[in-house]
Amino acid sequence: MRRFLRPGHDPVRERLKRDLFQFNKTVEHGFPHQPSALGYSPFLRLMAIGTRSGAIKLYGAPGVEFMGLHEENNTVMQIHFIPDQCQLVTLLDDNSLHLWSLKQHGGASELREEHRFTLKGPPGSPPSATQVTAVLPHSSREVLYLGTESGNIFVVELPSFRVLEDRTITPEAVLQRIPEDNCNRRSCELVEALREHPKNPDQILIGYSRALIVLWDLQNNKATHHFLGSQQLENLYWQRDGSKFISCHYDGSYTQWPVSSDNRQSEPLENTVPYGPFPCKAISKIYWQTTKNGLPYIIFQGGMPRASYGDRHSISVIHGSQQTAFDFTSRVIDFFIIFSSDPAAEFDDPSALVVLAEEELVVIDLKSAGWPAVHPPYLASLHCSAITCSHHVSNIPLKLWERIISAGSKQNTHYSSMPWPIDGGTNIAPDPPQRDLLLTGHEDGTVRFWDASGVCLHLLYKLSTVRVFLTDADPNDNMNTLGEDEWPPLRKVGTFDPYSDDPRLGIQKIYLCKYSGYLAVAGTAGQVLVMELNDEDAEHVVDHAEADLLQDQEGYRWKGHEKLKTRDGPVRFEAGFQPFVLVQCQPPAVVTSLALHSEWKLVAFGTSHGFGLFDHQQKRLVFVKCTLHPSDQLALEGPLSRVKSLKKSLRQSFRRIRRSRVSSRKRRGGGGNASEVQEANAKFDQDALQEMELAPVQRKIEARSAEDSFTGFVRTLYFADTFLRDSSRHCPSLWAGTNGGTVYAFCLRVPPAERRMDEPVRAEQAKEIQLMHRAPVVGILVLDGRSTPLPEPLEVAHDLSKSPDMQGSHQLLVVSEEQLKVFTLPKVSSKLKLKLTALEGCRVRKVTVANFGSCKTDDYSENDLAVLTNLGDIQIISLPFLKLQIRYPCIRKEDVSGIASCVFTKYGQGFYLISPSEFERFSLSTKWLVEPRCIVDVPEVTSNNHVHNKSGTENAARKS
């Protein structure tokens, strides 16, 4: 049997791989990209959000999440929950209706699409005849009323979506009961709103665009009342007792209408233009909420003065003498009010205003004085300023975790203490096994700390680096301050602010040591800040140091942006991470790599010009190394100067095309004699033979020229305590890898603790390795005598890792874009390699060491490499033998920004941006899996309207 097995095929290893590795996309963190519709069920206390790409997402209590995706990928225009049911209906922009249900399947609840339907008119009728504009799910739970552009209202049976043609409400039937002098056929075009009477389910209110409003009796199929406004209708809302309703209009006005039993035509009680008398924008939606104290809450969208505030996205709340126009930085999609849903309650008593804007979700507490915002536990606006980098830290010690939360709580004093009001369902997922942090760097110079332990990505703390520098904006500016007499009474809400005061503030690299609490942050203009955690506000001077990476080389002139100007004197910092030293790289180019060793108190940084080492305990520069090649002029132009490089690349492209044409003409024998043709053919055959002599699965890779641009670009930095000079003594070392395939190794002499402040740290270059194909180096790793990666700084001191084996020989792993190569140390002789580009045709983009545990036993785990390629697939490669274990397709190869944003965790999970505002979370491990698990109670409504609770259903909520 042995000879029938494939080479390298080991059944035991194959079984073990199944116990270790499994690929799952588990949950999407952040805010849905391009939201387009909003729905809410007071019965289930669940909220639904639809997007332009056809996704639909349901949210309840923190951890309760469902997701579905329409096959058509069309925009979701409207979402309506069926009253007292676990069902909802979506309307897409292709005029199709879809019925979704939360149903139990195999012991778990899933959001499933049950039916789909498109309303069709008679043959030859225009599309407007059946273009749905308004949807009303009736409280009987048996039918939907569909208002259309033509003015017809169709009745559709649920759940079959069968059209009940005999119950269609036509414009002709409506006009029969209305005096001719009041209306004509055009008055009944385009149904804007359909509203069921709150006390009588046999009556519905029909609002037409041309301001005609009709109260329709469903039992007798006739109009009982009609109301005629003077302005184009936008929306309708019933008061709780059904005695009045409110209409809002295109001119920025709203009107109260009484519904009396004796008058078929009613006159308005009151017409109000809240922000008149000047022309105003339309009020597109309105609520009238009753309260015990008699003063109603009037809440509406829009209505701002057109000339001065026509560009504002606002929702106004009026309650007696209180009036506030909440001003959002992105377009308002929709909103709803959370109020008493008990039918026996006499008053609405609103508690919260929930607003879905284009870039964030904002919840306003209407019970507390001043109407503060509520801190959201999910749907965080990750992109409130554009994300520029990410950094994940696993297994945070409890003390550090509590200190970060404490610092964050001091920042959130302006938020309401109200519990999260959308609380449907129950999260039954097990508590996360450890505390994980995801740090995101942003364009505005901030770093946000997110709790990434579970399903909900929750903001813990925000750090700003702006205070260190002089910028155009004063950090003490408060955009919410208003004068007492200011009108309209606008108040900024939300966190989305895409405009950066200075693009140089952007964060490019982050490194957090979870044991010491040191944090290093590097930015776009060559700034490197080292910080430590302080539990109290403090005022101190930030020490400055400059690192000249060009080392006064002649002939080089920086053409990019200037460095940021720093503040003189003491700077006040709030509790949290506070900078104590700033290292400024010269030229002030983007920092491309960063490493921090908190035990040695050293920080290393690299740019496109070179790298340096800084002692942050003595606040002294140890050394700098220029990696610039004489031809690297492009590295001196900065990120905003690309004209010359574009011309150069175009010129090279045309030369290559010309060369290929000339060589092909030679091969065809064009314009040459017979001997020249034979010579060219022989040369061509010889080249082809050389190609064939390669292994059949390998591709020939051309060596890169040393003159290629950006060869000095430092891609990776790595600290290691290893054998660098000889095999008898190990010492601290710093390794650097460049874009040109060069690896530099420096031997460091760090004084012992008792003399640490008296003696300087010394560095001496010990090795320089040049990879043959000059491929960019993306990762460096040292393996100890047991072939285990060296532990993190201070990890052994905290008894969280075994001491590295210093008896056996160490190995150096260098990961370039094209291959993985193992060298022996200290001789640096090649031991083995895996040619990824030659074998797979791909290039390495990200690499990390991940620990994979078996799902069958707690006794076995192993360290492997997780490698992300430019094709978007993830390969798991064994250590130290570099054997490919498994490959998973993860990201579309066209999604370049998604691949660039990917970050791996220490235990085989990962995150990448699927949009500017959303992280997709995935897992490569069978053991470490974070996904929603929840119970949604399914109340049962009986005929006498009493509510009983059935047993809950469990939801594994896997992504559709």
Side-chain angles (χ1 to χ4, degrees):
M1 285 295 292
R2 192 177 297 276
R3 60 180 175 162
F4 292 107
L5 292 174
R6 293 193 303 274
H9 182 79
D10 181 356
V12 176
R13 179 62 189 171
E14 292 301 314
R15 279 197 301 273
L16 183 57
K17 279 159 61 173
R18 287 194 292 271
D19 295 343
L20 293 172
F21 312 123
Q22 183 181 352
F23 179 75
N24 288 291
K25 290 185 179 180
T26 54
V27 67
E28 291 176 5
H29 296 302
F31 185 77
H33 185 50
Q34 296 182 326
S36 56
L38 177 69
Y40 178 68
S41 169
F43 174 70
L44 297 174
R45 298 184 73 83
L46 294 178
M47 172 181 65
I49 295 176
T51 71
R52 288 192 210 169
S53 59
I56 178 169
K57 301 184 178 187
L58 271 62
Y59 300 93
V64 178
E65 294 186 16
F66 297 88
M67 179 177 169
L69 188 64
H70 295 88
E71 287 183 10
E72 296 81 359
N73 289 342
N74 287 77
T75 299
V76 180
M77 302 298 291
Q78 296 183 36
I79 301 173
H80 300 273
F81 281 88
I82 309 299
D84 305 333
Q85 294 286 305
C86 284
Q87 291 183 314
L88 63 153
V89 170
T90 55
L91 172 68
L92 304 191
D93 65 351
D94 63 354
N95 207 40
S96 63
L97 287 157
H98 302 254
L99 179 66
W100 297 81
S101 297
L102 281 170
K103 282 199 170 179
Q104 187 169 355
H105 174 70
S109 277
E110 295 176 350
L111 181 64
R112 278 195 189 164
E113 186 178 354
E114 298 285 326
H115 297 284
R116 66 188 65 190
F117 164 76
T118 302
L119 190 63
K120 293 179 181 175
S125 61
S128 62
T130 55
Q131 183 68 43
V132 178
T133 54
V135 179
L136 172 64
H138 194 261
S139 60
S140 66
R141 308 184 294 279
E142 295 173 354
V143 292
L144 285 178
Y145 289 89
L146 306 178
T148 62
E149 273 188 14
S150 62
N152 288 300
I153 298 166
F154 295 92
V155 185
V156 176
E157 192 177 52
L158 286 175
S160 63
F161 277 136
R162 182 171 65 90
V163 179
L164 305 176
E165 295 182 3
D166 58 324
R167 293 172 63 176
T168 300
I169 304 171
T170 63
E172 291 75 22
V174 171
L175 289 171
Q176 282 178 3
R177 292 282 183 159
I178 299 173
E180 290 184 10
D181 55 342
N182 286 356
C183 298
N184 55 37
R185 174 64 182 83
R186 296 195 67 188
S187 301
C188 292
E189 288 181 355
L190 206 156
V191 179
E192 281 286 359
L194 293 169
R195 298 285 180 264
E196 184 180 334
H197 195 291
K199 298 296 183 184
N200 184 358
D202 291 331
Q203 290 184 332
I204 62 170
L205 202 60
I206 305 169
Y208 296 95
S209 178
R210 290 179 175 268
L212 173 64
I213 304 166
V214 173
L215 186 60
W216 188 261
D217 186 339
L218 297 172
Q219 288 286 349
N220 301 311
N221 209 26
K222 67 175 186 180
T224 60
H225 296 71
H226 69 275
F227 314 84
L228 195 60
S230 59
Q231 293 290 334
Q232 179 180 318
L233 181 71
E234 291 289 321
N235 221 318
L236 297 170
Y237 186 77
W238 277 108
Q239 288 191 21
R240 191 177 187 90
D241 61 2
S243 64
K244 304 184 196 75
F245 68 87
I246 318 297
S247 62
C248 53
H249 301 273
Y250 181 76
D251 67 338
S253 67
Y254 64 84
T255 306
Q256 284 191 73
W257 302 88
V259 180
S260 57
S261 56
D262 49 353
N263 288 334
R264 289 185 55 212
Q265 179 177 353
S266 297
E267 295 299 322
L269 283 176
E270 184 184 1
N271 184 68
T272 308
V273 184
Y275 295 111
F278 302 107
C280 295
K281 295 198 74 177
I283 294 179
S284 56
K285 188 174 182 178
I286 191 166
Y287 279 80
W288 185 288
Q289 300 278 284
T290 57
T291 61
K292 290 174 185 173
N293 66 8
L295 293 171
Y297 278 86
I298 305 164
I299 303 168
F300 56 88
Q301 177 183 346
M304 284 282 125
R306 192 175 289 276
S308 305
Y309 299 95
D311 59 340
R312 299 298 182 100
H313 313 291
S314 69
I315 289 179
S316 298
V317 180
I318 303 172
H319 180 58
S321 60
Q322 286 181 274
Q323 180 167 348
T324 299
F326 293 104
D327 187 14
F328 299 86
T329 52
S330 59
R331 185 171 61 92
V332 173
I333 304 298
D334 202 354
F335 73 99
F336 62 84
I337 307 296
I338 296 177
F339 57 91
S340 173
S341 57
D342 181 3
E346 189 179 348
F347 303 102
D348 292 308
D349 281 330
S351 57
L353 161 66
V354 181
V355 184
L356 176 68
E358 200 164 35
E359 306 291 354
E360 62 186 328
L361 183 83
V362 177
V363 178
I364 304 295
D365 177 3
L366 297 177
K367 290 284 189 185
S368 302
W371 300 332
V374 182
H375 193 46
Y378 50 71
L379 287 175
S381 182
L382 299 175
H383 64 317
C384 42
S385 173
I387 293 176
T388 48
C389 66
S390 304
H391 175 65
H392 188 276
V393 188
S394 299
N395 210 3
I396 302 290
L398 179 61
K399 189 174 180 182
L400 177 63
W401 185 263
E402 289 174 343
R403 293 177 71 191
I404 290 172
I405 289 176
S406 173
S409 64
K410 293 174 183 176
Q411 296 178 334
N412 296 333
T413 52
H414 61 284
Y415 281 115
S416 165
S417 58
M418 173 189 202
W420 184 244
I422 304 162
D423 55 3
T426 307
N427 178 22
I428 60 163
D431 290 334
Q434 60 185 32
R435 295 168 294 273
D436 288 356
L437 273 179
L438 179 66
L439 281 67
T440 53
H442 297 264
E443 193 179 45
D444 63 354
T446 58
V447 179
R448 285 170 169 82
F449 290 64
W450 305 92
D451 177 0
S453 314
V455 171
C456 295
L457 195 69
H458 181 61
L459 182 64
L460 298 178
Y461 164 70
K462 184 179 88 169
L463 160 72
S464 177
T465 62
V466 177
R467 287 184 178 274
V468 180
F469 305 103
L470 287 169
T471 59
D472 295 335
D474 186 347
N476 297 315
D477 282 350
N478 186 358
M479 298 184 72
N480 288 338
T481 52
L482 285 173
E484 289 183 9
D485 301 326
E486 182 142 350
W487 189 260
L490 289 163
R491 188 174 112 200
K492 283 241 182 245
V493 286
T495 58
F496 179 71
D497 183 13
Y499 306 107
S500 172
D501 299 321
D502 192 327
R504 295 175 297 173
L505 289 167
I507 305 296
Q508 297 296 330
K509 295 291 173 185
I510 305 169
Y511 196 103
L512 172 67
C513 174
K514 61 187 179 184
Y515 303 112
S516 64
Y518 283 116
L519 172 70
V521 169
T524 303
Q527 70 271 30
V528 180
L529 286 162
V530 186
M531 313 184 189
E532 58 185 342
L533 193 54
N534 190 345
D535 298 327
E536 302 295 333
D537 293 5
E539 188 171 1
H540 60 257
V541 175
V542 178
D543 290 296
H544 296 177
E546 286 217 348
D548 181 10
L549 295 172
L550 292 183
Q551 296 174 303
D552 301 322
Q553 293 195 35
E554 295 181 4
Y556 292 107
R557 188 169 61 87
W558 172 246
K559 302 172 188 174
H561 49 239
E562 294 181 355
K563 68 175 184 178
L564 284 159
K565 293 178 181 175
T566 54
R567 292 179 183 273
D568 296 326
V571 182
R572 183 158 191 82
F573 298 102
E574 55 188 22
F577 286 94
Q578 298 172 352
F580 62 88
V581 68
L582 164 68
V583 183
Q584 178 62 57
C585 299
Q586 288 288 11
V590 174
V591 177
T592 57
S593 54
L594 185 69
L596 176 73
H597 200 293
S598 46
E599 191 173 358
W600 301 337
K601 304 289 193 297
L602 299 175
V603 61
F605 49 88
T607 71
S608 53
H609 307 121
F611 61 96
L613 181 67
F614 186 80
D615 177 353
H616 65 75
Q617 184 166 0
Q618 291 189 11
K619 296 173 184 172
R620 172 183 163 274
L621 191 66
V622 179
F623 78 90
V624 290
K625 169 74 175 177
C626 181
T627 56
L628 213 57
H629 190 271
S631 66
D632 259 353
Q633 287 300 319
L634 191 57
L636 290 165
E637 292 178 4
L640 305 178
S641 175
R642 291 286 181 268
V643 179
K644 290 182 180 178
S645 61
L646 181 63
K647 287 180 180 177
K648 180 182 175 185
S649 62
L650 285 171
R651 204 180 301 122
Q652 289 173 343
S653 300
F654 282 122
R655 282 174 183 165
R656 276 197 295 270
I657 292 168
R658 204 179 299 123
R659 239 182 272 130
S660 65
R661 284 176 177 168
V662 168
S663 61
S664 62
R665 276 203 299 272
K666 281 183 179 178
R667 285 198 290 271
R668 288 197 302 268
N673 56 35
S675 62
E676 285 176 344
V677 172
Q678 286 176 353
E679 205 171 72
N681 285 340
K683 176 81 167 58
F684 177 69
D685 291 343
Q686 188 180 354
D687 290 346
L689 192 62
Q690 282 182 0
E691 289 275 339
M692 290 169 63
E693 283 172 358
L694 288 167
V697 292
Q698 290 192 20
R699 297 159 177 78
K700 187 173 183 180
I701 305 167
E702 291 185 11
R704 304 180 191 214
S705 166
E707 296 181 1
D708 285 352
S709 296
F710 281 121
T711 54
F713 185 119
V714 180
R715 292 286 289 268
T716 185
L717 291 163
Y718 178 72
F719 286 107
D721 187 355
T722 187
F723 300 94
L724 197 55
R725 293 192 179 280
D726 56 58
S727 56
S728 59
R729 288 177 299 170
H730 57 89
C731 65
S733 63
L734 172 65
W735 301 75
T738 72
N739 222 36
T742 307
V743 177
Y744 299 96
F746 279 75
C747 185
L748 308 178
R749 184 187 171 278
V750 181
E754 61 272 12
R755 300 197 304 276
R756 183 65 178 80
M757 286 302 293
D758 303 324
E759 299 179 14
V761 175
R762 301 191 183 279
E764 185 181 350
Q765 184 169 336
K767 308 281 182 190
E768 182 174 335
I769 308 164
Q770 179 63 60
L771 299 181
M772 187 183 298
H773 294 303
R774 301 182 184 273
V777 177
V778 295
I780 297 172
L781 185 69
V782 172
L783 306 176
D784 69 6
R786 292 188 293 264
S787 298
T788 303
L790 295 182
E792 293 178 22
L794 296 175
E795 194 173 11
V796 175
H798 284 76
D799 296 326
L800 294 170
S801 175
K802 292 181 181 177
S803 297
D805 183 350
M806 292 298 185
Q807 305 303 317
S809 59
H810 285 198
Q811 300 171 79
L812 170 70
L813 171 65
V814 177
V815 182
S816 75
E817 280 191 359
E818 296 177 0
Q819 66 182 16
L820 290 77
K821 197 165 186 177
V822 175
F823 298 89
T824 59
L825 285 177
K827 289 187 176 179
V828 193
S829 55
S830 178
K831 189 175 180 182
L832 73 154
K833 61 185 172 184
L834 174 63
K835 294 182 178 179
L836 277 183
T837 305
L839 296 170
E840 312 290 342
C842 59
R843 294 184 185 277
V844 177
R845 287 288 177 260
K846 305 269 180 173
V847 63
T848 195
V849 176
N851 183 269
F852 293 92
S854 170
C855 62
K856 297 285 180 67
T857 174
D858 293 334
D859 298 335
Y860 183 80
S861 68
E862 66 180 42
N863 291 308
D864 296 288
L865 287 177
V867 175
L868 175 69
T869 73
N870 64 326
L871 302 180
D873 59 3
I874 293 174
Q875 303 184 16
I876 298 174
I877 296 168
S878 67
L879 285 174
F881 300 113
L882 304 185
K883 299 289 184 186
L884 177 63
Q885 301 300 297
I886 201 157
R887 181 192 296 111
Y888 299 113
C890 180
I891 311 172
R892 292 181 303 108
K893 64 180 179 182
E894 298 84 11
D895 186 3
V896 178
S897 60
I899 293 170
S901 67
C902 183
V903 56
F904 289 108
T905 78
K906 194 177 177 181
Y907 295 98
Q909 295 186 66
F911 302 80
Y912 68 94
L913 288 171
I914 51 174
S915 74
S917 59
E918 288 173 292
F919 274 114
E920 176 82 72
R921 186 179 192 134
F922 63 87
S923 174
L924 305 168
S925 169
T926 56
K927 192 173 182 180
W928 297 91
L929 202 64
V930 174
E931 60 181 355
R933 287 181 62 82
C934 51
I935 289 176
V936 176
D937 289 323
V938 186
E940 188 178 88
V941 180
T942 57
S943 57
N944 61 358
N945 286 334
H946 287 290
V947 178
H948 305 279
N949 280 338
K950 291 197 299 188
S951 60
T953 57
E954 186 179 317
N955 166 36
R958 286 188 182 274
K959 184 175 167 233
S960 297

